[in-house]
Every structure is written in structure tokens, then in C-alpha cells.
Amino acid sequence: MTNALLEETIKAGDVAAYLRRHPGFLSDYPELATLLTLPREQGAVASLAAYQLQALRDKNSELERKFAELTTIAAENERLMQRVHDLNVAVLRANTPEVAARSVVARLSEDFGTDHTRLVLFGKFTLPPADWLVLEPEGRSAMPEFADFLGHHEPVSGRLSADRLHRLFGAEASHIKSAALMPLGELGLLALGSKDPDHFQPGMGTVFLKMIASTVSAALARIQDGA
């Protein structure tokens, strides 16, 4: 078979696949190592061994970077878990409906770095007025801006539309650059607002938001029962 026919028959991918299956190939044919052209994106390469060593170092650096990133995420998750635990304890210690509601809002503001909190309650709740409290006796029908959100029963985070911001935060709406919304079943919804556009981002994990929503829902159920 001529060289031309060989070049048409054997593809670069076939050669690469063969070498992967036979990593000791150059040990059997060491003279070929001097004929190979090695990548030079990272500067001059003195030998195949040096190139392989550099490749391993680069891979190790990438693994260390990923490990550091995962460690940071794990530490932040641990802090969030502690804050959710503290929220649960605060609700359990509350001896009146008003104290329970105020404990929830205080913890969310202090421990979760939110600038504004809005607790929207549907139906009849006997709570004293507060700047963080929005009562909607008519329920969902009084908040058409949130119809799709309430229908999905899942927390969302990121930037809200102007009409939603105004409905929740009123005069403070222009200061809210990112927010997290948590449905509370048939009881209402919880909104956390931040002046930082990156504080609540689309796609951020919703596990902790769901845990917070469950705690608040349990507190509201106690309020409704007059516990």
C-alpha cells in the first residue's frame, strides 16, 4: 500500500486511539520521540518528559482550584444550615403569634443579609401592622402579578419585574436590585430583597430557600391556630 493510500486510510483519530491503548509505544520505538512536534502554547518544550510533567502540573493546579472552590461552597452551606437552624429555634421559642412572626423577620434580616423583608399573608390573620407585613384577605386573586409564581410552588431568585417590586416593596422598590421569593402554600408568600444585584442570583440553589419557607409556613400555621 502506498503512502498516499495509507494517509487516506489512517486518520489522526485512529493514531491517537492506538497510542491511548498502547501508552508504552515510545518505549518500544524511542527514536520516534525525537521526531514528534510537541505543543508550545506554554513556551518552549525541551522534551516529551518535560511536556508530560508540565501537563500533570497544569492538571494538578486545576484540581486544586476545583477543590478550593468546593471547600468554599461547603463552608458557605454549613453557615447557611446554622442560620436555618437558628431560625427554627427562634420560632420554637416564640410564645405568641406576634413574637413568632417578628422572630422570623428579624432572623431573615440579620442572618441572611437581606435589606428588606415582606411577609404576605392570605386570608384572615390577626397580627398588628408592621412595615414588613402585607395582608391580603382576598388571597391570590388580589395579586395577579404573582399568579404564575404561586402556581409553580417553587422559590425563585434574581431580579424581579417593576410591577412585582412595587407590589411587594412599595416606595422601597427602586432600591431592590435582587430578590428571592418563596411560596408559603395557601398561607401567602415571603420576599427577601437586597440592594446588591448579585445577592440573589438566578439559578442559585433553592434547598435553603425551601427550608426557610417550610419553617415560616409552620410558624404561620401556629399563628392561625392561635398557638
Side-chain angles (χ1 to χ4, degrees):
M1 184 177 292
T2 66
N3 290 338
L5 288 177
L6 279 173
E7 290 178 359
E8 292 180 1
T9 304
I10 301 176
K11 304 296 183 183
D14 298 329
V15 176
Y18 179 85
L19 291 175
R20 290 191 184 95
R21 294 195 302 271
H22 302 83
F25 179 81
L26 290 180
S27 297
D28 298 329
Y29 301 92
E31 71 279 2
L32 293 179
T34 62
L35 302 177
L36 296 176
T37 301
L38 303 179
R40 294 178 178 270
E41 291 84 357
Q42 303 301 322
V45 178
S47 66
L48 180 60
Y51 172 69
Q52 291 175 326
L53 178 60
Q54 184 60 48
L56 288 174
R57 286 173 175 170
D58 292 342
K59 182 177 291 186
N60 186 57
S61 296
E62 178 63 15
L63 290 174
E64 288 180 349
R65 185 193 65 79
K66 290 183 177 179
F67 179 75
E69 182 179 326
L70 291 174
T71 301
T72 300
I73 293 174
E76 178 60 23
N77 286 342
E78 184 178 358
R79 287 191 291 270
L80 286 172
M81 184 66 73
Q82 182 61 50
R83 291 166 187 167
V84 172
H85 172 72
D86 292 342
L87 176 63
N88 291 336
V89 172
V91 171
L92 289 173
R93 286 178 174 173
N95 54 10
T96 68
E98 180 180 355
V99 172
R102 290 188 178 279
S103 296
V104 166
V105 174
R107 282 292 178 182
L108 291 175
S109 299
E110 296 172 8
D111 295 345
F112 292 89
T114 59
D115 296 306
H116 296 281
T117 302
R118 291 294 184 272
L119 179 60
V120 181
L121 300 181
F122 300 153
K124 296 181 180 180
F125 280 87
T126 56
L127 287 174
D131 56 1
W132 45 264
L133 180 63
V134 179
L135 297 177
E136 286 295 350
E138 298 180 9
R140 299 186 180 198
S141 61
M143 304 187 74
E145 306 93 334
F146 298 91
D148 57 338
F149 162 71
L150 293 170
H152 291 149
H153 307 291
E154 290 290 329
V156 297
S157 57
R159 299 188 180 185
L160 300 183
S161 60
D163 59 335
R164 285 185 170 185
L165 286 174
H166 181 73
R167 185 70 179 81
L168 289 170
F169 300 102
E172 302 295 335
S174 62
H175 303 298
I176 305 300
K177 303 304 179 183
S178 66
L181 297 181
M182 289 158 274
L184 304 176
E186 299 302 320
L187 300 174
L189 66 90
L190 178 65
L192 307 179
S194 175
K195 297 176 182 178
D196 181 359
D198 297 322
H199 192 78
F200 297 108
Q201 300 181 21
M204 68 183 296
T206 60
V207 173
F208 291 104
L209 295 180
K210 289 180 179 179
M211 294 173 68
I212 293 171
S214 295
T215 296
V216 175
S217 295
L220 293 176
R222 291 176 62 191
I223 291 173
Q224 277 193 324
D225 294 337

